[in-house]
Amino acid sequence: AHHYTAAGMIQAAVPLWHKAGVSALARVAAQEAISHLSRGLELLAALAPSPARDAQELDLRVLLGASWMMRNGWWAPEVWSAIYPALALAKSLDHREALAGIYYNLYANLAMQGRADEASRWAKEAFSTAVSTADSGLRTIAELLATFLTLISGNWINARSHAANLYRVYEPEDHLYVSRAINLDPRDNVDTYAGHWIWALGFPDKALEAHKAHLVKVRASNHPFMILFALTVGATVLDFRGEPASLAKCAEEAMRLGRENALPIYTELIGPMYLALAMARVDNNVLRVERLRLAVAAYQAAGANAYVPHMKAALAEALAFGGDLVMALRIINESIDQIERPGWGERWWLVENLRVKGVVLELLGEIENAELAFTRALTVAREQQAKSWELRTATSLARLWQSQGKSAEAAALLAPIYDWFTEGFQTKDLQEAKALLEELSTAQNA
C-alpha cells in the first residue's frame, strides 16, 4: 500500500528519472539529460529530508551539473546552481565519490569564467580532502585540478609535475566513478593540455607529437565531447607553432561534430572563436580581424573569459599590423587588466600579452615604453621557465634594438636563447629568430 501513497510513488519514480538522465548523458544528449534529472529533483522537493532522500538528490545534482556543463559550458550559472548545494549533501553523507565531480565542476565553473584565483579554493580543498581521507579517486581529481591550477597560473613546471602524479595515481578500472562523475576520462582531460606546457618549456616538436597522439586516442574512445575539446583547446599548440591552416581544419571539424551531437557551445562559441583565430593569423585583413573580435565578444557575452587573454593578444597584434593602433592598444590593455584583476589571474598568456603590448607601443613610436613591456615579458618568461615564450619575446626586443642600430646587444640577447633549442627549427618562432640572427650577424660584420 505504501507504494500507492504520494511519497511512495515519488520514491519509485525518482530512480527512473535518474536512470534516464544517466542514459541520456552517456549518449551526450545533454538537453534530454537535463529534462530527466530536473524532473527527478522537482519530485524530491516534496519529500522530507532523510539520508536516503538526500543521497538521491546528491546523485541527481552531480549529473545535472555535468549535463549543464555539456549543454551551456563549464562557466554556465546553471552548473553552479546544480552543483554547489550538492557539496553540503556529499559532506554530510560522507560520499567521497560524489565529491570528485563536485570539486571538479565548482573549480571549472569559476576558472572558465576567468576567475582562476578564486577557483583555486576548490582545487586546494580537493587536495586536502584527498590527503586526509587517503582516497585515491579524490587524489586523481585533486591532481587534475592542481594541473589546471598551476597551468593557468603559468607555472608550467608544476603543471607537468601534477600531470605526472595523476598518471601514477589514476587507475581507469578502479576509478571508473571518477570519469563518470566528470563525464570525462581524467587522463584524457589533462592530456588535452600537455602540448601547452611541452611547447612553453621549449619543445615545439614534442608538443605537436603529444597533441597528435592525444587526438588519435580520443578519436578511438569515440567520446564526442572529449574529441571536441582536443580539436579546440588541445589544438592551441598549433597556434603556438604558427600553423593556422592546421588549426582551422581542427576548428572546422569541431563545429561539424558539435552540430552532429547538438552541442551548441562548440558550434556557436568555441569552434567559431578558434576558427576566427586561425583566419586572423593567416592575414590581418579587416574582415578577418573583425570576425575574431565578434567571436571573442560572443564567447564573453555567454559568461566565459578563460582563454580570452590568448585571443585578445592575437586580436591586438592583428589590429596593430592592420594599422588600427589605438584599438590594438585598448584591446591589449583590457586583456592585461583581466589577467591582473583580483581573483582572476589567468597568467599562462601573460608573457604574450606583454610582448604584444610592446609591439603595439613600438608601432606607436613609444619606444621607451615598448622596451619596458618587452623587458617585463622577458622577466615573466624566465620566471616561468617558458623558453618558447622567452624566444618569441627576445626576438621582438632584438628587432627593436636592431632598428636602433644596437645589433651587438640584440645578438647577445637572442643568440643564447636560440642556441638552447634542440628541436622545432621548422616552426615560425625559430625560423624568425634564425633569420634575425643572420641579419644581425651581417650588420656586425659589415
Side-chain angles (χ1 to χ4, degrees), residues 65 68-69 72-85 109 113 302-304:
W68 275 118
M69 180 271 287
N72 286 1
W74 297 263
W75 53 82
E78 296 90 349
V79 173
W80 188 271
S81 300
I83 290 290
Y84 185 69
N109 180 254
Q113 290 176 45

Side-chain angles (χ1 to χ4, degrees), residues 289-309:
V289 175
E290 179 63 6
R291 183 177 177 182
L292 177 57
R293 188 192 68 77
L294 290 172
V296 173
Y299 177 74
Q300 288 192 282
N305 286 292
Y307 314 118
V308 165

Side-chain angles (χ1 to χ4, degrees), residues 132-145:
S132 65
T133 58
D135 187 297
S136 60
L138 270 179
R139 183 60 181 262
T140 298
I141 285 293
E143 293 293 357
L144 178 61
L145 297 185

Side-chain angles (χ1 to χ4, degrees), residues 26-300:
R27 289 183 279 108
V28 199
Q31 187 57 56
E32 184 184 334
I34 289 164
S35 298
H36 296 323
L37 298 165
S38 297
R39 182 64 182 135
L41 276 178
E42 287 168 14
L43 290 172
L44 271 183
L47 298 182
S50 71
R53 179 226 168 271
D54 291 353
Q56 285 183 312
E57 180 182 349
L58 175 60
D59 290 345
L60 288 167
R61 284 190 174 280
V62 169
L63 285 169
L64 185 59
S67 303
W68 275 118
M69 180 271 287
M70 189 175 286
R71 172 67 178 77
N72 286 1
W74 297 263
W75 53 82
E78 296 90 349
V79 173
W80 188 271
S81 300
I83 290 290
Y84 185 69
L87 181 64
L89 293 169
K91 287 180 175 178
S92 69
L93 295 165
D94 193 26
H95 199 317
R96 293 175 199 166
E97 293 186 4
L99 278 174
I102 291 167
Y103 284 135
Y104 177 88
N105 281 297
L106 291 177
Y107 176 86
N109 180 254
L110 291 177
M112 288 300 293
Q113 290 176 45
R115 296 154 62 188
D117 286 347
E118 287 180 35
S120 69
R121 169 191 170 182
W122 302 109
K124 290 168 184 173
E125 187 172 317
F127 217 95
S128 62
T129 307
V131 169
S132 65
T133 58
D135 187 297
S136 60
L138 270 179
R139 183 60 181 262
T140 298
I141 285 293
E143 293 293 357
L144 178 61
L145 297 185
T147 304
F148 295 160
L149 176 61
T150 49
L151 187 65
I152 289 172
S153 301
N155 193 332
W156 309 96
I157 297 284
N158 280 3
R160 182 179 64 182
S161 239
H162 283 295
N165 290 342
L166 183 144
Y167 300 154
R168 281 194 293 273
V169 173
Y170 178 55
E171 297 289 346
E173 291 182 11
D174 295 345
H175 299 142
L176 191 59
Y177 73 86
V178 175
S179 54
R180 283 177 178 163
I182 65 173
N183 201 38
L184 298 167
D185 179 275
R187 178 161 186 154
D188 286 346
N189 202 180
V190 84
D191 279 349
T192 304
Y193 294 96
H196 290 58
W197 67 73
I198 296 170
W199 179 86
L201 292 171
F203 302 96
D205 292 343
K206 288 186 179 66
L208 181 61
E209 289 165 16
H211 167 64
K212 286 182 173 178
H214 176 57
L215 255 183
V216 168
K217 187 182 175 191
V218 295
R219 285 189 202 282
S221 76
N222 206 28
H223 189 303
F225 201 82
M226 202 67 251
I227 298 168
L228 286 163
F229 201 35
L231 287 168
T232 50
V233 174
T236 300
V237 70
L238 301 172
D239 185 55
F240 292 161
R241 285 174 52 90
E243 298 175 10
S246 298
L247 178 61
K249 284 181 183 176
C250 285
E252 286 165 351
E253 183 184 349
M255 290 166 71
R256 178 178 58 76
L257 272 177
R259 283 190 296 272
E260 290 172 4
N261 290 279
L263 291 170
I265 63 167
Y266 281 98
T267 56
E268 297 169 16
L269 297 174
I270 299 174
M273 186 168 69
Y274 277 88
L275 181 58
L277 170 66
M279 292 297 95
R281 294 293 200 196
V282 172
D283 66 53
N284 48 41
N285 79 49
V286 173
L287 290 177
R288 284 183 168 174
V289 175
E290 179 63 6
R291 183 177 177 182
L292 177 57
R293 188 192 68 77
L294 290 172
V296 173
Y299 177 74
Q300 288 192 282

Side-chain angles (χ1 to χ4, degrees), residues 179-441:
S179 54
R180 283 177 178 163
I182 65 173
N183 201 38
L184 298 167
D185 179 275
R187 178 161 186 154
D188 286 346
N189 202 180
V190 84
D191 279 349
T192 304
Y193 294 96
H196 290 58
W197 67 73
I198 296 170
W199 179 86
L201 292 171
F203 302 96
D205 292 343
K206 288 186 179 66
L208 181 61
E209 289 165 16
H211 167 64
K212 286 182 173 178
H214 176 57
L215 255 183
V216 168
K217 187 182 175 191
V218 295
R219 285 189 202 282
S221 76
N222 206 28
H223 189 303
F225 201 82
M226 202 67 251
I227 298 168
L228 286 163
F229 201 35
L231 287 168
T232 50
V233 174
T236 300
V237 70
L238 301 172
D239 185 55
F240 292 161
R241 285 174 52 90
E243 298 175 10
S246 298
L247 178 61
K249 284 181 183 176
C250 285
E252 286 165 351
E253 183 184 349
M255 290 166 71
R256 178 178 58 76
L257 272 177
R259 283 190 296 272
E260 290 172 4
N261 290 279
L263 291 170
I265 63 167
Y266 281 98
T267 56
E268 297 169 16
L269 297 174
I270 299 174
M273 186 168 69
Y274 277 88
L275 181 58
L277 170 66
M279 292 297 95
R281 294 293 200 196
V282 172
D283 66 53
N284 48 41
N285 79 49
V286 173
L287 290 177
R288 284 183 168 174
V289 175
E290 179 63 6
R291 183 177 177 182
L292 177 57
R293 188 192 68 77
L294 290 172
V296 173
Y299 177 74
Q300 288 192 282
N305 286 292
Y307 314 118
V308 165
H310 174 207
M311 299 295 164
K312 283 194 172 177
L315 176 59
E317 192 166 41
L319 283 164
F321 289 140
D324 193 346
L325 296 173
V326 173
M327 182 58 74
L329 186 61
R330 180 180 148 195
I331 293 288
I332 201 62
N333 281 334
E334 278 178 7
S335 187
I336 293 169
D337 286 346
Q338 175 178 319
I339 293 169
E340 295 178 342
R341 189 178 304 167
W344 289 51
E346 189 183 346
R347 297 176 193 88
W348 51 351
W349 317 116
L350 179 56
V351 179
E352 180 68 347
N353 274 254
L354 293 168
R355 185 195 71 83
V356 170
K357 182 169 185 176
V359 169
V360 176
L361 290 168
E362 182 181 356
L363 290 170
L364 281 165
E366 296 185 29
I367 303 305
E368 189 175 334
N369 287 332
E371 191 166 345
L372 285 172
F374 289 141
T375 303
R376 186 182 166 206
L378 270 181
T379 300
V380 176
R382 288 165 180 161
E383 287 169 354
Q384 295 182 353
Q385 300 180 57
K387 282 291 181 181
S388 289
W389 291 126
E390 185 182 357
L391 178 73
R392 187 180 294 180
T393 303
T395 301
S396 292
L397 180 53
R399 202 173 278 128
L400 172 63
W401 285 349
Q402 179 192 34
S403 72
Q404 296 175 316
K406 299 194 288 189
S407 295
E409 294 93 327
L413 168 69
L414 186 56
I417 303 167
Y418 178 83
D419 290 343
W420 179 92
F421 282 79
T422 56
E423 62 172 70
F425 296 107
Q426 299 307 309
T427 61
K428 182 181 177 184
D429 284 330
L430 278 115
Q431 287 183 335
E432 288 187 355
K434 182 184 179 184
L436 180 54
L437 282 167
E438 288 170 355
E439 288 175 25
L440 295 170
S441 176

